[in-house]
Amino acid sequence: MDAKDTILIVEDDPTMCLLIKRMLEQDAYEILVAVDGVEAQAIMKSSKREISAILLDWQMPRMNGIEFLRWIKKEADYEHIPVVMETSMVAPEDIKEGIDAGAFYYLTKPMEEKVLRAIVRAALWDLHEKKSLLEKIRRGNNPFKHLVEGRFRFKTTEEAEFLAIAIANASAVPQK
């Protein structure tokens, strides 16, 4: 994990926002703050720093947390960012809705500092692991790049399909 990770807190309660900020500053994160989903969208679009994780309240003016979470998960540039819901909405159907919308974790208020910090660390670890795997895939050690001649044997159509996909993905224009 990078000590320079940027956490966006989206929270309309100034006291709760300050409390969360103080809890996380111990871990040397850069902290950005928005009071609702509309302001959070503006920050995400204009920030020069990549947002590493988002702590998101549900009940806020203009654009609530669930609306903002659904927006994030539809945006290719942001869908990978782990979002931790932190809310007073504790009904099982609310928790399910938050998780179904794409929340990495669902924390209910009031929250303990050590739990919040552990969840944020887990979310960041998950983000960095995904980025590492995607980079390995992007760099990819394509075994076919050294292939001059080859013969393949397969017994099922599933094996043939898998082989065809692997060969297509190894080519410069996979869709062709």
Side-chain angles (χ1 to χ4, degrees):
M1 245 164 298
D2 180 3
K4 304 284 188 208
D5 282 318
T6 299
I7 310 295
L8 174 60
I9 300 171
V10 187
E11 170 66 65
D12 65 326
D13 179 340
T15 303
M16 181 58 71
C17 187
L18 182 61
L19 180 65
I20 293 169
K21 189 175 179 185
R22 286 198 175 139
M23 289 179 187
L24 295 177
E25 283 176 336
Q26 298 175 62
D27 295 320
Y29 304 125
E30 181 174 326
I31 306 290
L32 301 175
V33 176
V35 296
D36 62 25
V38 173
E39 186 178 354
Q41 283 179 326
I43 288 172
M44 292 181 73
K45 291 175 182 178
S46 66
S47 179
K48 295 184 181 7
R49 297 226 8 120
E50 182 179 346
I51 306 296
S52 303
I54 298 170
L55 290 174
L56 181 62
D57 186 19
W58 186 316
Q59 297 172 306
M60 297 178 293
R62 295 196 298 172
M63 179 187 286
N64 71 37
I66 286 293
E67 293 167 334
F68 178 69
L69 177 57
R70 288 186 178 124
W71 173 79
I72 290 171
K73 296 305 173 182
K74 289 180 185 172
E75 296 292 318
D77 290 343
Y78 309 129
E79 67 183 351
H80 64 281
I81 300 172
V83 177
V84 176
M85 295 291 298
E86 44 91 9
T87 180
S88 56
M89 298 187 63
V90 298
E93 57 272 8
D94 295 329
I95 295 169
K96 180 184 180 320
E97 185 176 356
I99 297 298
D100 287 348
F104 175 83
Y105 200 89
Y106 195 98
L107 259 175
T108 57
K109 295 176 185 174
M111 54 206 150
E112 290 188 37
E113 178 179 341
K114 62 184 174 186
V115 173
L116 173 65
R117 291 174 64 202
I119 290 167
V120 169
R121 279 193 303 272
L124 294 172
W125 182 86
D126 187 67
L127 173 72
H128 293 296
E129 283 297 304
K130 283 180 185 174
K131 283 183 173 184
S132 174
L133 287 172
L134 289 173
E135 178 59 23
K136 287 176 185 174
I137 290 169
R138 189 190 64 73
R139 279 192 322 241
N141 292 328
N142 178 359
F144 294 113
K145 71 181 176 186
H146 303 292
L147 184 66
V148 175
E149 184 177 320
R151 177 181 286 169
F152 300 97
R153 291 193 181 131
F154 50 90
K155 296 179 182 174
T156 66
T157 55
E158 289 83 16
E159 290 175 345
E161 182 180 20
F162 176 79
L163 180 60
I165 291 169
I167 292 170
N169 283 329
S171 69
V173 186
Q175 63 272 22
K176 292 188 178 185

